[in-house]
Amino acid sequence: MSRSLIEQWLPVAPVGIESIRERSTFTALPPSFALHVWWARRPLVASRAAVVASLLPAWPSETEVAQDPEAARIAQGLESEFPGGETEYQAWYVRSLGILGDAVAGWKAIQAAKAKGVKTEGNAYGYDRAFTVSPDSRTIDRIKRLAVLRTGAVNDGSQMVVLDPFSGGGSIPHESARYGFDTIANELNPVATAILQGTVALPAEHGPEFLGLIKKWGEKWCDQVRKRLEEFFPIQRADERPAFIWVHTVPCPTTGRPTPLSPDFWLARGNSGRSIAVALKVDRGAGGYELEIVDGAGASEWGDRSTYKRGVGTSIWTGETFSGDYIREMATEGQLGQMLLAVSVTRDSVRGRQFRAPSTADLDAISAAEKQLALQLPSWEIADLIPSEDIDSISNYDRGHRMYGLSRWSDFFSPRQLLTNVTALEELRSITSEACREIGEERGKALGLYLALALDRACDYNGRQSSWDATRLKVRNTFDKHNFNFKWAFAEFDGAHSLLPWSVKQLERVYAGMCKLTQQTATLDDQQERRARARIIRGSAASLPLADASVDAVVTDPPYYDNVMYAEISDYFYVWLKRSLRDIWPEFTDLVLTDKQDEAVANVALFKEVAPSGSRGRRKGDGLKSAAQLADARYEDLLKQSFREAHRVLKETGVLTVMFTHKRIDAWDTLGAALLDAGFSIDASWPVHTESEHSLHQAKKNAAASTIFLACRKREGSEPAYWSDIRHEVEKAAEDAATRFASQGMTGVDLTIATYGPVLSVLSERWPVYTGELDAEGSPEVLRPDAALDLAREKVASLKKRELLGGRDIDFDRVTDWYLLAWNDFAAAEFPYDEARKLSIATHLDLDDLARRHKLVKQSSGSVMLLTPAQRSTAGGLDSDAAQFETWIDRLHALMLVYDSEGLGAAKAWLNRTGLAEEATFTEVVRAAMHAIPRVKDKGVFARPEARILDSLRAALFEHVDVPEDDVEPAAPHEQQALMFDV
């Protein structure tokens, strides 16, 4: 069988660089990302690389040509297309992705400039970002021609079918459609399916001319809402655009008066370049208060004041404190209120944002809005316009709502916010009905969907979970995090004059951008006008409405284990979307809430009623599985069913390419087991850096930077084996892969993850692999993939230690090895407990011993944190005056503690006393620690105190130790950071 290009080669460096570059600035993200919130999106350039390489042929080797007539046929066809040979072919492939220059050289130039503290002149890459380049007809025709060459199909390539069974935010089908393939996007979640319609399908169907209709009807919608709501949002001037900053309140335990629960009183600070706060002046005798806007020294006095901190409230009336239990009791009794602290105002004629205290007119308007809501509620409830559904009991994010009395979806909005959003919904339904009559049902449906997505955006920024960002002077959206953590202070848009006009303007901008990506008009060079099209299916990946052997390539980015509970958090939008669309898109609105049962995630909440919640991987004493174990098994079963469906619909010549980003072995164990049991072999894996490597938060908390591409085929048959028979082969595969990827500059947790593909490939060649034991039913026990992955981790750990020591093998001790490898692997002080445990297994240690006896780490709520020398000393795990030290890391930490607290003279005396001044092994420990601990800087200062102390210590006492390069801090925010816009 002929191989695909992705089974042979992938240009991981330029694809990785372009993936990071794609999201290097928030204001210029791909427009498809900005249409609506979704919680995981692959870069477009990585997605197109996977799709195209899954269909193109590999360049056959001379041996393959000599031995296989099919390979000879493909080689002849490739040579006719590319007389310059394989090098020309690969260069063409890179350019076909839109990478029109030397990405690696451009990246290096930028990093060199950053290291010098300067900026490059112009565009260092010399070409636009790859995702902005749409392939021309010649490129598309050639790709299809070569895809047919690989399979030997009789058609012209026009019917090449690409399927993504887990389409989510839609990057893969979006790019597949742009390259002219017959694209099928399947998705279970109705919110994601609506987004797919808006990003992948409708721009192609209706084209750029549809933008005029969005503008016309969007303005009409805004105008009708304004007329109904402007009495509740008074403005002093026509060009004034206010935003309102609120804080939640509970009754004072003694007086019963509302007392605010404010973590601080800042309105502007930090990066905003201004210092402005609210002064809350209380007259306890009269039972009143006055709000005043203060700046300068006054802001410093008031800004950091707090009436709520670490779960404890303080009454402004009596000064007494009250507990979190009291706050929750008041909230669940319906006594959680809100106080308007300040009004932020922008005007066309005044530069910058101004602040003022609430006026009598503001407060009267709020009171009038509450009365209007009470008046409207009965009719709105009859018309089912209020999102009054109970929040699903299947919940992993209870901390943010039920604890504080938010039990229905409508509770996420203050009275005036609810009035605003439901009024907008009511007018939206009216506008859509009118548009369908005037412009036709198809265009009316499309218009209705886009306006519904604009309403979702409005609800995202106009609820009790949206908040004020005092550093950027903007409203922060509800989903600045992937949960419902409660916000003590919140922000409100001007619902009459600002909210919908802003949301519609964003929609117009995004739609215009999507049309540029999905359409290419005819030019003198390219006479054919094209529109990228895709078929959207809503359903389970485990049951696809497709014929057997009907798909040429399955390219997918499956849900990441327990990373995000998509259904649970998307309900926030679904309760609005189903009311917006029920008359025109009934296929999106047939559920009460989104489907949690069939969602392929490890959802512990599904099992909390039938099993006790427990630590992952640990059985209860009675032998019953914990809720976490049941969730893991359910996730694996759903993945297995989905991959079996992919196996069924995939042609014999087809390729399954899986894109997966996860740092935990158990996630890879589950993915590997699902692929192997579904009948696939894993033929190649490619680690592509799709996330910023050295962002500042990664020095504090662990995150994986690479997406692994796994290229899989239908397994043609394999001879089962025992683990003891192939263990050495697995070891060699891990070692070879680690050596290869390390030579290409891969480090840390990504280097470990990069070995998982080759290791799983060895297993797939002999699957099923047996342990040599019997299972509970008395049958031969099948090996779990994590046994091979653990072996890979152990081999990589050995390689990493050698790398830290400049290629030398030096024995320290296991505790020191663990510490160095933890920093090297995770590049963070905090990382998951399970990963720390697996690293301790690889180094033959007990993690609990590291925490309790050595006090090298602190364990808490599923994570592990490395302690600084000072923290270890405080915890009683380190005594710099000790006569002897058990480990080399104890010796190093003791010296660091003395040097940092007592100075250079004391450090020299300590070295002389301990006899370590000339000890070669101790010098190597210093060297290894300097290379392992991230040297990330924030404004020129090391983010980690360990890096700061070591750098100074080396300069003073270990000058002969080489200095590692500082990690550069690129400005590359993640796609799902809080979306913040001007009011």
Side-chain angles (χ1 to χ4, degrees):
M1 183 185 294
S2 59
R3 292 181 296 163
S4 63
L5 182 60
I6 201 168
E7 295 171 89
Q8 180 189 57
W9 174 80
L10 195 72
V12 294
V15 171
I17 289 167
E18 280 297 327
S19 295
I20 296 171
R21 189 183 175 207
E22 183 174 306
R23 296 179 290 183
S24 60
T25 170
F26 174 73
T27 57
L29 285 173
S32 55
F33 290 8
L35 180 63
H36 193 285
V37 168
W38 195 249
W39 295 273
R41 283 186 170 103
R42 290 297 94 208
L44 298 184
V45 69
S47 300
R48 62 168 56 177
V51 169
V52 176
S54 297
L55 292 164
L56 290 176
W59 193 284
S61 66
E62 293 182 2
T63 302
E64 289 171 328
V65 170
Q67 296 178 353
D68 182 2
E70 188 71 3
R73 178 186 65 80
I74 292 170
Q76 183 179 8
L78 285 170
E79 287 166 358
S80 67
E81 291 274 355
F82 303 99
E86 186 175 7
T87 301
E88 181 186 351
Y89 178 39
Q90 292 179 349
W92 166 81
Y93 168 74
V94 172
R95 290 185 65 82
S96 77
L97 301 180
I99 304 174
L100 305 181
D102 190 335
V104 175
W107 175 264
K108 289 180 177 179
I110 291 171
Q111 301 314 303
K114 285 182 177 179
K116 296 177 182 177
V118 299
K119 292 185 177 181
T120 57
E121 293 186 9
N123 181 351
Y125 293 96
Y127 64 95
D128 290 336
R129 290 180 295 169
F131 82 88
T132 66
V133 179
S134 293
D136 58 26
S137 294
R138 288 188 296 272
T139 298
I140 290 176
D141 290 344
R142 177 181 259 187
I143 289 172
K144 290 180 177 179
R145 196 162 59 243
L146 294 173
V148 170
L149 174 67
R150 182 181 73 81
T151 62
V154 295
N155 64 51
D156 60 359
S158 62
Q159 300 303 312
M160 282 286 169
V161 179
V162 176
L163 164 69
D164 182 357
F166 298 104
S167 290
S171 294
I172 292 169
H174 185 275
E175 293 306 291
S176 174
R178 287 179 76 185
Y179 278 78
F181 299 117
D182 185 0
T183 302
I184 302 172
N186 181 80
E187 173 56 42
L188 178 69
N189 190 291
V191 176
T193 312
I195 297 170
L196 286 165
Q197 283 286 353
T199 53
V200 180
L202 294 180
E205 291 179 20
H206 297 285
E209 58 273 14
F210 191 71
L211 179 60
L213 293 177
I214 292 176
K215 288 182 178 179
K216 173 185 174 181
W217 291 92
E219 288 174 1
K220 188 171 185 178
W221 179 37
C222 295
D223 190 53
Q224 291 181 185
V225 171
R226 177 188 57 78
K227 291 175 181 176
R228 288 182 59 179
L229 293 179
E230 58 187 352
E231 66 177 291
F232 308 115
F233 294 92
I235 54 176
Q236 298 174 1
R237 296 173 41 156
D239 66 343
E240 181 178 287
R241 293 296 176 264
F244 306 89
I245 301 160
W246 296 78
V247 64
H248 283 106
T249 66
V250 293
C252 167
T254 300
T255 67
R257 299 180 188 128
T259 186
L261 301 170
S262 184
D264 63 66
F265 288 87
W266 285 108
L267 299 175
R269 63 173 173 173
N271 293 337
S272 70
R274 303 164 69 186
S275 294
I276 304 174
V278 177
L280 176 59
K281 300 178 179 179
V282 180
D283 185 341
R284 292 180 176 175
Y289 64 86
E290 179 184 344
L291 295 167
E292 181 183 341
I293 307 301
V294 293
D295 58 15
S300 299
E301 177 187 352
W302 285 94
D304 288 328
R305 292 194 183 188
S306 173
T307 56
Y308 176 83
K309 191 172 185 179
R310 296 174 183 167
V312 177
T314 302
S315 172
I316 63 172
W317 307 109
T318 65
E320 66 187 297
T321 60
F322 45 88
S323 68
D325 290 339
Y326 172 79
I327 296 171
R328 287 188 287 273
E329 180 184 350
M330 292 296 98
T332 53
E333 290 178 3
Q335 297 195 61
L336 186 70
Q338 46 266 321
M339 174 192 291
L340 182 60
L341 284 182
V343 181
S344 167
V345 179
T346 59
R347 294 191 181 98
D348 294 342
S349 57
V350 179
R351 182 179 180 182
R353 190 174 294 280
Q354 308 301 311
F355 296 92
R356 62 174 174 82
S359 66
T360 301
D362 292 322
L363 301 178
D364 289 345
I366 293 165
S367 178
E370 292 173 354
K371 293 176 182 177
Q372 182 66 23
L373 177 64
L375 190 66
Q376 295 265 194
L377 269 178
S379 62
W380 278 349
E381 287 174 342
I382 291 171
D384 190 25
L385 295 180
I386 301 293
S388 56
E389 295 90 341
D390 288 340
I391 298 171
D392 204 322
S393 60
I394 301 171
S395 175
N396 295 272
Y397 304 128
D398 267 353
R399 180 173 179 80
H401 40 82
R402 263 179 278 269
M403 288 173 62
Y404 299 104
L406 278 65
S407 59
R408 303 186 305 169
W409 286 106
S410 55
D411 294 337
F412 274 103
F413 306 91
S414 69
R416 189 165 66 170
Q417 288 174 331
L418 190 61
L419 176 69
T420 295
N421 297 346
V422 179
T423 299
L425 168 64
E426 189 172 40
E427 291 299 333
L428 168 61
R429 290 172 53 79
S430 174
I431 282 285
T432 302
S433 177
E434 182 183 349
C436 285
R437 293 193 299 271
E438 185 171 320
I439 64 178
E441 185 174 348
E442 286 305 309
R443 290 195 294 175
K445 281 182 61 177
L447 175 69
L449 184 135
Y450 280 119
L451 294 185
L453 296 177
L455 177 60
D456 273 11
R457 183 193 296 272
C459 293
D460 189 23
Y461 282 86
N462 197 48
R464 286 165 65 178
Q465 297 293 94
S466 55
S467 55
W468 181 251
D469 185 344
T471 62
R472 300 181 68 184
L473 307 188
K474 299 186 180 189
V475 176
R476 189 189 289 114
N477 70 326
T478 294
F479 290 104
D480 57 332
K481 295 180 180 178
H482 299 172
N483 56 39
F484 295 117
N485 281 349
F486 195 77
K487 309 285 178 60
W488 296 106
F490 65 95
E492 180 190 20
F493 262 83
D494 175 347
H497 309 95
S498 301
L499 180 61
L500 290 186
W502 165 77
S503 189
V504 170
K505 283 293 183 186
Q506 296 300 319
L507 171 62
E508 293 170 7
R509 177 184 62 82
V510 167
Y511 184 83
M514 291 190 300
C515 286
K516 289 181 180 178
L517 294 187
T518 58
Q519 301 191 30
Q520 184 163 325
T521 56
T523 64
L524 290 175
D525 296 68
D526 188 355
Q527 296 297 317
Q528 184 176 352
E529 180 178 344
R530 296 187 323 283
R531 295 184 176 184
R533 302 178 187 276
R535 174 186 170 193
I536 313 297
I537 300 173
R538 184 180 144 225
S540 170
S543 180
L544 298 167
L546 302 174
D548 294 356
S550 59
V551 173
D552 293 279
V554 177
V555 183
T556 193
D557 173 35
Y560 296 157
Y561 204 49
D562 59 356
N563 199 38
V564 180
M565 301 295 115
Y566 301 96
E568 183 178 342
I569 50 179
S570 66
D571 275 340
Y572 181 92
F573 296 114
Y574 180 65
V575 294
W576 293 98
L577 203 62
K578 72 174 186 177
R579 290 172 166 83
S580 302
L581 299 178
R582 64 189 174 203
D583 295 336
I584 54 174
W585 294 90
E587 61 267 42
F588 298 155
T589 65
D590 58 331
L591 303 175
V592 177
L593 293 171
T594 58
D595 185 352
K596 284 85 177 173
Q597 297 291 336
D598 294 326
E599 183 180 40
V601 293
N603 190 342
V604 175
L606 282 173
F607 301 95
K608 65 184 180 182
E609 298 298 327
V610 297
S613 179
S615 299
R616 185 175 305 281
R618 296 181 180 177
R619 288 186 178 274
K620 298 294 176 182
D622 56 9
L624 295 177
K625 288 187 176 181
S626 69
Q629 288 174 310
L630 291 171
D632 290 353
R634 174 65 173 159
Y635 171 63
E636 183 173 325
D637 184 57
L638 287 169
L639 270 190
K640 190 182 303 182
Q641 291 181 45
S642 300
F643 287 138
R644 281 177 177 164
E645 268 294 86
H647 191 280
R648 178 184 67 81
V649 303
L650 193 63
K651 295 178 181 178
E652 292 303 314
T653 56
V655 175
L656 164 67
T657 297
V658 179
M659 302 165 68
F660 200 69
T661 302
H662 212 295
K663 56 188 175 289
R664 283 169 43 175
I665 280 187
D666 40 10
W668 282 92
D669 172 59
T670 299
L671 176 70
L675 285 169
L676 295 171
D677 288 343
F680 284 101
S681 64
I682 299 166
D683 292 355
S685 74
W686 305 100
V688 179
H689 281 251
T690 55
E691 310 295 336
S692 173
E693 280 187 72
H694 298 301
S695 62
L696 184 61
H697 80 277
Q698 286 189 355
K700 300 172 183 176
K701 198 161 186 177
N702 167 243
S706 290
T707 295
I708 308 298
F709 290 31
L710 297 178
C712 310
R713 285 290 191 107
K714 289 185 172 183
R715 196 165 59 242
E716 295 181 339
S718 58
E719 182 180 347
Y722 285 95
W723 175 231
S724 58
D725 296 331
I726 67 168
R727 181 185 173 98
H728 178 70
E729 191 177 350
V730 168
E731 286 181 333
K732 188 174 187 308
E735 195 164 347
D736 289 348
T739 302
R740 181 171 74 255
F741 291 130
S743 69
Q744 296 170 8
M746 186 161 289
T747 60
V749 69
D750 295 298
L751 178 59
T752 302
I753 291 172
T755 66
Y756 293 169
V759 164
L760 291 173
S761 179
V762 174
L763 293 186
S764 70
E765 292 171 3
R766 304 294 297 274
W767 196 256
V769 177
Y770 297 106
T771 64
E773 305 289 337
L774 298 179
D775 62 21
E777 285 74 37
S779 302
E781 183 181 55
V782 177
L783 183 82
R784 289 295 309 184
D786 64 356
L789 300 179
D790 282 338
L791 183 59
R793 181 186 282 276
E794 189 172 339
K795 284 294 175 185
V796 175
S798 176
L799 175 74
K800 287 176 180 175
K801 183 185 172 186
R802 282 202 307 270
E803 182 68 23
L804 288 173
L805 296 170
R808 290 163 293 176
D809 286 312
I810 299 175
D811 288 329
F812 294 145
D813 54 77
R814 286 180 292 178
V815 174
T816 302
D817 288 350
W818 187 94
Y819 178 86
L820 296 171
L821 290 171
W823 272 117
N824 183 266
D825 228 23
F826 305 118
E830 187 177 351
F831 39 90
Y833 172 89
D834 214 41
E835 294 306 293
R837 182 180 63 83
K838 289 181 170 67
L839 181 57
S840 67
I841 292 171
T843 49
H844 308 288
L845 288 169
D846 185 334
L847 182 58
D848 288 343
D849 198 45
L850 291 172
R852 294 173 184 172
R853 185 163 74 87
H854 295 281
K855 292 185 171 54
L856 198 63
V857 297
K858 179 182 177 181
Q859 300 173 187
S860 62
S861 63
S863 67
V864 167
M865 185 174 70
L866 291 164
L867 298 181
T868 65
Q871 289 170 331
R872 291 188 67 200
S873 177
T874 301
L878 184 67
D879 180 7
S880 59
D881 294 327
Q884 292 184 329
F885 296 91
E886 184 178 352
T887 68
W888 284 106
I889 197 60
D890 286 347
R891 296 179 180 96
L892 176 60
H893 276 183
L895 174 61
M896 291 169 66
L897 183 64
V898 169
Y899 179 79
D900 195 42
S901 60
E902 301 178 41
L904 179 59
K908 288 180 178 179
W910 185 92
L911 283 170
N912 291 330
R913 176 179 71 80
T914 57
L916 293 172
E918 303 297 329
E919 171 59 57
T921 302
F922 187 65
T923 301
E924 293 305 324
V925 174
V926 173
R927 185 193 313 277
M930 289 198 65
H931 282 79
I933 296 171
R935 294 172 60 82
V936 177
K937 290 183 177 180
D938 180 16
K939 298 178 181 178
V941 178
F942 285 112
R944 292 300 310 172
E946 299 95 331
R948 171 183 58 80
I949 298 168
L950 281 169
D951 189 70
S952 181
L953 195 61
R954 185 216 65 84
L957 297 171
F958 299 92
E959 292 182 340
H960 53 291
V961 172
D962 56 304
V963 183
E965 292 184 5
D966 290 346
D967 294 332
V968 178
E969 165 70 11
H974 190 276
E975 68 187 78
Q976 288 303 330
Q977 72 174 30
L979 304 177
M980 291 177 284
F981 295 95
D982 285 317
V983 177

